[in-house]
Amino acid sequence: MTVEIRVPALGESLTTATVARWLKKSGDYVQHDETIVELETDKVSVEVTAPSAGRLEDCVAVGTEVEIGGLLGAVDETAEAPAVPESAPVAEAPAEPAAAPSAPEPVAAPAHVTPPAPEKPKPAAVAPALQSSSPKLSSHEARERRVPMSRLRQTIARNLKAAQNTAAILTTFNEIDMSAAKALRAEYKEEFEKKHDGARLGFMSFFARAVVGALKDYPAINAQIEGDEIVYRDFVNLGIAVGTERGLVVPVLHDADQMSFAELERRIADYGKRARTGGLKLEELSHGTFSITNGGIFGSLLSTPILNTPQSGILGMHAIQDRPVVRDGQIVIRPMMYVALSYDHRIVDGREAVSFLVRIKQLVEDPRRLLLDL
């Protein structure tokens, strides 16, 4: 009996996918529930497993666009599983290696035989005066590679361009003294990790908690425009941008305003790991209300992040760098980070945006405020 392999349900608003790669090829024997093909959608990769054990047949070509319920291939259940090869017997080594044959002695040439004189090389033909002696360079086309854009990359390109076309994007900047956050992290990171089952205390959780607090004070930055209405939210679904080999994805911490430091750290670490292996679920990439992107992990000192539409704000973190600053009239060295807030000026006024970023600065520079909700 032959069992068809069909495209599974892909999730909300997704109706098609592209065959990204086959982990098995036609003719291979597959086991029941073994992952055999990977589909790429606009947001996530979807793995499809074998519906039964048997021989894989009629695989749809890589790059083919398929719809939900579409045919991907088939499994022939009547095919027999390949026999497991028996271990080959170990050959015994010979007791004594055979002697190598002796090389024949050279035969001396007779004394009266004179070897022929070598021929004199003929003079090379003179090249015409107009003929170039330098090698011909290859064309630029011969040194180019053309690779089709993945569906994820196409979606990223579409969304970024849509953000520029629809939103009135403006960016404001500030800088944060990370001294107190670094000291607190250094003092408690080992105890924090032991108490919370290996969850590491990083700087992202400080900024996540600071964003949650600041959004309560400035709700327009957590809102979005729908038609001629503004939708305000009393919850925070916080997107954390993650760079992967396939492109940028933004998994969402749903109800981040209800999470502790430890839960934030655990979820952020888990999302980062699964984003890089393609293991995120569609619902984990949906319904974000505000985003954070950290270019500092790649060494970025300053940037102007683009909105993740239809959101109205995104916070850009950057590298921590020791810089001279003035404190109480004295020039001192402090670990400083530039931060950037890009926002939709259609819904967020400049006063709100600047005040929001100042609030982030206050909370991170004095982390006790995060614990006391001040």
Side-chain angles (χ1 to χ4, degrees):
M1 178 179 177
T2 299
V3 180
E4 295 178 336
I5 307 168
R6 297 278 178 179
V7 179
L10 302 172
E12 180 185 3
S13 75
L14 295 178
T15 59
T16 63
T18 301
V19 178
R21 62 172 179 147
W22 284 93
L23 306 179
K24 297 287 185 176
K25 63 181 183 298
S26 288
D28 285 352
Y29 192 89
V30 297
Q31 301 294 336
H32 179 240
D33 280 341
E34 181 181 4
T35 302
I36 55 174
V37 63
E38 186 178 278
L39 306 179
E40 188 177 65
T41 71
D42 293 343
K43 296 183 178 180
V44 293
S45 295
V46 177
E47 294 180 342
V48 179
T49 59
S52 60
R55 186 175 59 242
L56 186 61
E57 298 178 343
D58 303 326
C59 296
V60 171
V62 170
T64 303
E65 185 170 342
V66 290
E67 297 182 349
I68 293 176
L71 187 63
L72 293 170
V75 174
D76 182 2
E77 294 181 315
T78 63
E80 295 184 0
V84 179
E86 297 181 359
S87 300
V90 179
E92 295 183 1
E96 185 176 351
S102 58
E105 294 184 3
V107 179
H112 63 274
V113 177
T114 305
E119 293 183 2
K120 293 183 180 180
K122 296 180 180 180
V126 179
L130 298 178
Q131 183 176 348
S132 173
S133 60
S134 9
K136 184 179 180 181
L137 295 176
S138 59
S139 65
H140 289 167
E141 290 78 9
R143 290 176 285 164
E144 292 178 343
R145 291 182 298 114
R146 292 181 179 270
V147 179
M149 289 179 69
S150 66
R151 289 187 62 137
L152 178 59
R153 177 59 63 186
Q154 292 178 41
T155 301
I156 292 171
R158 258 195 326 268
N159 290 345
L160 293 179
K161 189 58 181 174
Q164 292 181 321
N165 290 342
T166 59
I169 302 177
L170 193 61
T171 305
T172 185
F173 304 94
N174 212 315
E175 60 178 354
I176 295 178
D177 186 341
M178 297 295 294
S179 300
K182 287 188 70 175
L184 185 65
R185 179 174 179 263
E187 183 176 356
Y188 292 108
K189 65 179 181 179
E190 291 184 5
E191 186 176 345
F192 182 90
E193 190 171 344
K194 290 178 182 178
K195 180 177 177 60
H196 297 292
D197 300 324
R200 296 187 176 183
L201 182 60
F203 293 123
M204 183 59 79
S205 57
F206 286 84
F207 280 90
R209 287 292 294 270
V211 162
V212 167
L215 289 176
K216 291 180 181 177
D217 296 333
Y218 303 97
I221 304 175
N222 195 44
Q224 74 179 54
I225 295 176
E226 289 188 3
D228 57 358
E229 296 180 331
I230 300 176
V231 180
Y232 291 94
R233 303 179 178 94
D234 295 326
F235 59 89
V236 178
N237 287 348
L238 186 60
I240 306 293
V242 180
T244 72
E245 291 183 356
R246 289 190 292 260
L248 185 73
V249 294
V250 188
V252 178
L253 300 168
H254 293 94
D255 295 314
D257 49 312
Q258 306 296 322
M259 295 183 186
S260 64
F261 268 87
E263 189 173 0
L264 285 169
E265 287 292 351
R266 276 195 295 265
R267 296 284 294 278
I268 290 170
D270 174 59
Y271 277 175
K273 181 179 179 180
R274 289 195 288 123
R276 294 178 181 91
T277 59
L280 290 172
K281 300 176 182 177
L282 183 61
E283 58 268 22
E284 294 171 332
L285 293 164
S286 306
H287 308 298
T289 62
F290 185 91
S291 295
I292 299 178
T293 181
N294 184 8
I297 60 176
F298 304 112
S300 172
L301 194 61
L302 196 62
S303 67
T304 55
I306 297 179
L307 292 178
N308 185 17
T309 55
Q311 297 171 21
S312 299
I314 182 171
L315 178 71
M317 298 168 55
H318 301 91
I320 300 173
Q321 186 180 64
D322 286 343
R323 292 199 297 271
V325 295
V326 177
R327 294 289 184 269
D328 300 323
Q330 301 292 321
I331 297 178
V332 295
I333 303 299
R334 292 287 186 268
M336 305 297 293
M337 176 195 288
Y338 289 119
V339 288
L341 174 71
S342 292
Y343 59 98
D344 189 346
H345 211 350
R346 297 178 303 164
I347 184 174
V348 180
D349 295 331
R351 176 185 61 83
E352 291 175 299
V354 172
S355 300
F356 174 88
L357 208 51
V358 169
R359 184 67 174 141
I360 296 289
K361 174 182 173 70
Q362 292 172 343
L363 292 170
V364 176
E365 288 190 341
D366 186 0
R368 295 171 299 180
R369 292 176 175 269
L370 296 174
L371 303 175
L372 299 176
D373 195 22
L374 295 176

